Amino acid sequence: MARYDEIGVGYTLGRRTDSRWLAPVLAALGSAASVLDVGSGTGSYEPPSRRVVAVEPSAEMIRQRAPEAAPVVRAVAEALPFASGTFDAALAVLTVHHWGDWRGGLTELRRVSGRQVVLAYDTALHNDFWLVREYVPEVAVLESSRPSAPEIADFLGAASVVPLPVPWDFTDGVFPAYWRRPEAYLDPAVRRSCSALAQTAPAAVSRGMARLAADLESGRWHEEHRELLELPEWDAGFRLIVA
């Protein structure tokens, strides 16, 4: 959509596939030979060695897809241009919160596929992230308006919901990816790759980043969050939902 035509510029620089999330996604797809990847973006988590068709509404995201990526159809989740039961599985990775009608989109996933694999997040846990709680609380307003993983799981009648912790050295720059590397958020390119920050008022983000920079320089952040520095991974609320 127009939103990602604007904020998706340079998306592939910050958002790179991490094998530690790809592996459970592939396991969740099971034996599905044909997969519809809805809201596929640049194709980060498209499964190899399967017949994949991608759906993506943003021309900017489609432009950044690699030549070897799956064929892509420009469409929206709420109106998938495929017959019922076309695919063995439908995949939706960190996209449902961007849909205008998330229930309508999930209904479409169920219509065109026998299995649905959705990677989403618990918005309450995202809002408890230190960056939101202490530096950019305005993000909580946006997150609270988005569908949360428990709602999505309930709507789909999920067979399983698996937590996906965020490793400290995660390569996919999702919003909480740098929970143990706070200096990264001072980089405008990192912030542009996080829709929660890219869609929050620039003045609010700038104020938060100024406070964070000051706390990093004084050592206050490291003192108050020293328990995080010992953790190899952290639960930011990401959930792999299978129905």
Side-chain angles (χ1 to χ4, degrees), residues 210-230:
R211 289 195 296 269
L212 176 59
D215 285 351
L216 289 171
E217 184 175 1
S218 70
R220 180 175 179 269
W221 186 93
H222 288 83
E223 176 62 25
E224 295 199 352
H225 298 285
R226 58 185 178 274
E227 75 285 353
L228 293 179
L229 303 177
E230 304 298 323

Side-chain angles (χ1 to χ4, degrees), residues 47-79:
S49 304
R50 310 194 193 210
R51 182 172 66 83
V52 179
V53 176
V55 168
E56 172 56 46
S58 166
E60 174 59 30
M61 299 296 272
I62 292 173
R63 185 188 66 78
Q64 295 178 65
R65 293 174 65 83
E68 66 272 16
V72 61
V73 175
R74 193 172 182 190
V76 296
E78 298 91 333

Side-chain angles (χ1 to χ4, degrees), residues 8-209:
V9 176
Y11 189 86
T12 52
L13 298 177
R15 302 297 297 272
R16 298 182 297 277
T17 309
D18 193 296
S19 61
R20 290 164 291 188
W21 272 16
L22 179 60
V25 167
L26 296 179
L29 288 170
S31 61
S34 59
V35 178
L36 180 67
D37 185 12
V38 180
S40 62
T42 60
S44 294
Y45 290 94
E46 286 174 4
S49 304
R50 310 194 193 210
R51 182 172 66 83
V52 179
V53 176
V55 168
E56 172 56 46
S58 166
E60 174 59 30
M61 299 296 272
I62 292 173
R63 185 188 66 78
Q64 295 178 65
R65 293 174 65 83
E68 66 272 16
V72 61
V73 175
R74 193 172 182 190
V76 296
E78 298 91 333
L80 296 174
F82 305 101
S84 297
T86 299
F87 300 91
D88 296 330
L91 176 65
V93 175
L94 297 178
T95 176
V96 176
H97 58 282
H98 292 303
W99 299 352
D101 174 10
W102 65 271
R103 293 179 179 85
L106 293 177
T107 298
E108 278 287 87
L109 260 63
R110 288 195 297 200
R111 180 182 67 79
V112 302
S113 67
R115 171 181 293 219
Q116 297 80 47
V117 177
V118 177
L119 176 50
Y121 60 88
D122 187 321
T123 55
L125 289 179
H126 259 43
N127 282 344
D128 195 40
F129 178 32
W130 59 259
L131 188 65
V132 179
R133 194 176 61 243
E134 300 170 28
Y135 296 100
V136 195
E138 293 83 357
V139 168
V141 177
L142 172 65
E143 295 288 21
S144 296
S145 71
R146 291 171 160 179
S148 192
E151 292 179 281
I152 294 169
D154 286 347
F155 185 84
L156 287 174
S160 67
V161 178
V162 178
L164 293 187
V166 182
W168 79 269
D169 57 349
F170 202 46
T171 60
D172 186 344
V174 293
F175 178 41
Y178 306 98
W179 57 270
R180 213 181 91 173
R181 296 170 286 167
E183 297 84 358
Y185 291 109
L186 302 181
D187 183 345
V190 166
R191 298 197 299 272
R192 281 195 299 270
S193 296
C194 305
S195 69
L197 291 174
Q199 293 179 255
T200 297
V205 175
S206 294
R207 284 194 301 270
M209 294 306 102

